[in-house]
Coordinates of all heavy atoms in Angstrom, one line a residue:
A1 N -136.0 46.1 -6.9 CA -136.0 44.7 -6.7 C -134.5 44.1 -6.6 O -133.6 44.7 -7.2 CB -136.8 44.1 -7.8
L2 N -134.5 43.0 -5.9 CA -133.2 42.2 -5.9 C -133.5 40.9 -6.5 O -134.6 40.3 -6.5 CB -132.8 42.0 -4.4 CG -132.5 43.3 -3.6 CD1 -132.1 42.8 -2.2 CD2 -131.5 44.1 -4.2
A3 N -132.4 40.3 -7.1 CA -132.6 39.0 -7.6 C -131.2 38.3 -7.7 O -130.1 39.0 -7.6 CB -133.1 39.1 -9.2
G4 N -131.1 37.0 -7.9 CA -129.9 36.3 -7.9 C -129.5 35.8 -6.6 O -130.1 36.1 -5.5
G5 N -128.5 34.9 -6.6 CA -128.1 34.2 -5.4 C -127.7 35.1 -4.3 O -128.0 35.0 -3.1
V6 N -127.0 36.2 -4.6 CA -126.5 37.2 -3.5 C -127.7 38.0 -2.9 O -127.6 38.5 -1.9 CB -125.5 38.1 -4.3 CG1 -125.0 39.1 -3.2 CG2 -124.3 37.3 -4.8
A7 N -128.8 37.9 -3.7 CA -130.0 38.6 -3.1 C -130.5 37.9 -1.8 O -131.3 38.5 -1.1 CB -131.2 38.6 -4.1
S8 N -129.9 36.8 -1.5 CA -130.4 36.1 -0.2 C -129.5 36.6 0.9 O -129.7 36.3 2.1 CB -130.2 34.5 -0.4 OG -131.0 34.0 -1.3
N9 N -128.4 37.4 0.6 CA -127.5 37.8 1.7 C -128.3 38.7 2.6 O -128.8 39.7 2.3 CB -126.3 38.5 1.1 CG -125.3 39.1 2.1 OD1 -125.4 40.2 2.5 ND2 -124.3 38.3 2.3
S10 N -128.2 38.4 3.9 CA -129.0 39.1 4.9 C -128.5 40.6 5.1 O -129.3 41.5 5.2 CB -128.9 38.4 6.2 OG -127.6 38.4 6.7
A11 N -127.2 40.8 5.0 CA -126.6 42.2 5.0 C -127.1 43.0 3.9 O -127.5 44.2 4.1 CB -125.2 42.2 5.1
L12 N -127.1 42.5 2.7 CA -127.6 43.2 1.5 C -129.1 43.6 1.7 O -129.5 44.7 1.3 CB -127.4 42.3 0.2 CG -127.8 42.9 -1.0 CD1 -127.1 44.3 -1.4 CD2 -127.8 42.0 -2.2
R13 N -129.9 42.6 2.1 CA -131.3 42.9 2.2 C -131.6 44.0 3.3 O -132.3 44.8 2.9 CB -132.0 41.6 2.6 CG -132.1 40.5 1.5 CD -133.1 39.4 1.8 NE -133.0 38.4 0.8 CZ -134.0 37.6 0.6 NH1 -135.1 37.7 1.3 NH2 -134.0 36.7 -0.4
E14 N -131.0 43.8 4.4 CA -131.1 44.8 5.4 C -130.7 46.2 5.1 O -131.4 47.2 5.3 CB -130.3 44.4 6.7 CG -130.6 45.3 7.9 CD -129.8 44.9 9.1 OE1 -129.3 43.8 9.1 OE2 -129.8 45.7 10.2
K15 N -129.5 46.2 4.4 CA -129.0 47.5 4.0 C -129.8 48.2 2.9 O -130.1 49.4 2.9 CB -127.5 47.4 3.5 CG -126.9 48.7 3.3 CD -125.3 48.5 2.9 CE -124.6 47.8 4.1 NZ -123.2 47.7 3.9
M16 N -130.3 47.3 1.9 CA -131.1 47.9 0.9 C -132.5 48.3 1.4 O -133.1 49.3 1.0 CB -131.3 46.8 -0.2 CG -131.9 47.4 -1.6 SD -130.8 48.5 -2.4 CE -129.9 47.2 -3.4
E17 N -133.0 47.6 2.3 CA -134.3 48.0 3.0 C -134.2 49.3 3.6 O -135.1 50.2 3.5 CB -134.8 46.9 4.0 CG -135.3 45.7 3.4 CD -135.8 44.6 4.4 OE1 -135.1 44.6 5.5 OE2 -136.8 44.0 4.2
N18 N -133.1 49.5 4.4 CA -132.9 50.8 5.1 C -132.7 51.9 4.0 O -133.3 53.0 4.2 CB -131.6 50.7 6.0 CG -131.9 49.8 7.1 OD1 -133.0 49.6 7.6 ND2 -130.8 49.3 7.7
M19 N -132.0 51.8 3.0 CA -131.7 52.9 2.0 C -133.0 53.2 1.2 O -133.3 54.3 0.9 CB -130.5 52.4 1.0 CG -129.2 52.4 1.8 SD -127.9 51.9 0.7 CE -127.7 53.4 -0.3
T20 N -133.8 52.1 0.8 CA -135.0 52.4 0.0 C -136.0 53.0 0.9 O -136.7 54.0 0.4 CB -135.5 51.1 -0.5 OG1 -135.6 50.1 0.5 CG2 -134.6 50.6 -1.7
K21 N -136.1 52.6 2.2 CA -137.0 53.3 3.1 C -136.7 54.7 3.2 O -137.6 55.6 3.2 CB -137.0 52.6 4.4 CG -138.1 53.2 5.4 CD -138.0 52.3 6.7 CE -139.0 52.9 7.7 NZ -139.1 52.1 8.9
K22 N -135.3 55.0 3.3 CA -135.0 56.4 3.4 C -135.3 57.3 2.3 O -135.6 58.5 2.4 CB -133.4 56.5 3.8 CG -132.8 57.8 3.9 CD -131.4 57.8 4.2 CE -130.7 59.2 4.4 NZ -129.3 59.1 4.7
E23 N -135.3 56.7 1.0 CA -135.5 57.3 -0.2 C -137.0 57.3 -0.5 O -137.4 57.8 -1.6 CB -134.7 56.7 -1.3 CG -133.3 56.8 -1.1 CD -132.7 58.3 -1.1 OE1 -133.4 59.2 -1.8 OE2 -131.6 58.5 -0.8
G24 N -137.9 56.7 0.3 CA -139.2 56.6 0.0 C -139.5 55.7 -1.2 O -140.5 55.8 -1.8
M25 N -138.7 54.6 -1.3 CA -138.9 53.6 -2.3 C -139.4 52.3 -1.8 O -139.4 52.0 -0.5 CB -137.5 53.3 -3.0 CG -136.8 54.5 -3.7 SD -135.2 54.2 -4.3 CE -134.8 55.8 -5.1
Q26 N -140.0 51.5 -2.7 CA -140.5 50.2 -2.3 C -139.6 49.2 -2.8 O -139.0 49.2 -3.8 CB -141.8 49.9 -3.0 CG -142.6 48.6 -2.6 CD -143.1 48.6 -1.2 OE1 -143.6 49.6 -0.7 NE2 -142.9 47.5 -0.5
L27 N -139.2 48.2 -1.8 CA -138.3 47.1 -2.1 C -138.9 45.8 -2.2 O -139.8 45.4 -1.4 CB -137.2 47.1 -1.1 CG -136.0 46.0 -1.2 CD1 -135.3 46.2 -2.5 CD2 -135.2 45.9 0.0
Y28 N -138.6 45.0 -3.3 CA -139.0 43.7 -3.5 C -137.9 42.7 -3.6 O -136.8 43.0 -4.2 CB -139.9 43.5 -4.7 CG -141.2 44.3 -4.6 CD1 -141.3 45.6 -5.1 CD2 -142.4 43.7 -4.1 CE1 -142.5 46.3 -5.1 CE2 -143.5 44.5 -4.1 CZ -143.7 45.7 -4.5 OH -144.8 46.4 -4.5
F29 N -138.0 41.5 -3.0 CA -137.0 40.5 -3.3 C -137.7 39.1 -3.2 O -138.6 38.9 -2.4 CB -135.8 40.6 -2.4 CG -136.0 40.8 -1.0 CD1 -136.4 39.8 -0.2 CD2 -135.9 42.1 -0.4 CE1 -136.6 40.0 1.2 CE2 -136.0 42.2 0.9 CZ -136.4 41.2 1.8
P30 N -137.2 38.1 -3.9 CA -137.8 36.7 -3.8 C -137.3 36.0 -2.6 O -136.4 36.4 -1.9 CB -137.3 36.0 -5.0 CG -136.5 37.0 -5.9 CD -136.1 38.1 -4.9
P31 N -138.0 34.9 -2.1 CA -137.5 34.0 -1.1 C -136.3 33.4 -1.5 O -136.1 33.3 -2.7 CB -138.7 33.0 -0.9 CG -139.4 33.0 -2.3 CD -139.3 34.4 -2.7
P32 N -135.4 32.8 -0.6 CA -134.1 32.3 -1.0 C -134.2 31.2 -2.1 O -133.4 31.1 -3.0 CB -133.6 31.7 0.3 CG -134.3 32.6 1.4 CD -135.5 33.0 0.8
V33 N -135.3 30.3 -2.1 CA -135.5 29.3 -3.0 C -135.6 29.8 -4.4 O -135.3 29.1 -5.4 CB -136.7 28.4 -2.6 CG1 -138.0 29.0 -2.8 CG2 -136.6 27.1 -3.4
L34 N -136.0 31.0 -4.5 CA -136.2 31.6 -5.9 C -135.0 32.5 -6.3 O -135.0 33.1 -7.3 CB -137.6 32.3 -6.1 CG -138.8 31.5 -6.0 CD1 -140.0 32.3 -6.2 CD2 -138.7 30.3 -7.0
C35 N -134.1 32.7 -5.3 CA -132.9 33.4 -5.6 C -131.8 32.6 -6.3 O -131.1 33.1 -7.2 CB -132.3 34.1 -4.3 SG -133.4 35.5 -3.7
T36 N -131.7 31.4 -5.8 CA -130.7 30.5 -6.4 C -131.4 30.1 -7.8 O -132.5 30.3 -8.2 CB -130.6 29.2 -5.7 OG1 -131.8 28.6 -5.4 CG2 -129.9 29.5 -4.3
D37 N -130.5 29.4 -8.6 CA -130.9 29.0 -10.0 C -132.1 28.0 -9.8 O -132.0 27.1 -9.1 CB -129.8 28.3 -10.7 CG -128.7 29.2 -11.1 OD1 -129.0 30.4 -11.0 OD2 -127.6 28.8 -11.6
N38 N -133.2 28.3 -10.5 CA -134.4 27.5 -10.5 C -135.1 27.6 -11.8 O -134.9 28.5 -12.6 CB -135.3 27.9 -9.3 CG -135.7 29.3 -9.4 OD1 -136.8 29.5 -10.1 ND2 -135.0 30.3 -8.9

């Protein structure tokens, strides 16, 4: 899973999606409004 403000970064999400898929892992991350402080 990803969390925190940087978890909204599009490059991080895309790269992590590609890497977890390659490793047969499941990836989760919140929508941007729940990545910033809330």
Side-chain angles (χ1 to χ4, degrees):
L2 302 178
V6 181
S8 294
N9 181 274
S10 62
L12 175 64
R13 291 191 181 207
E14 182 179 354
K15 194 170 293 184
M16 192 71 86
E17 282 181 326
N18 291 335
M19 293 180 70
T20 50
K21 185 176 181 180
K22 182 179 178 181
E23 298 292 340
M25 298 176 178
Q26 183 71 38
L27 177 65
Y28 294 91
F29 47 76
V33 69
L34 295 183
C35 288
T36 57
D37 291 347
N38 64 87

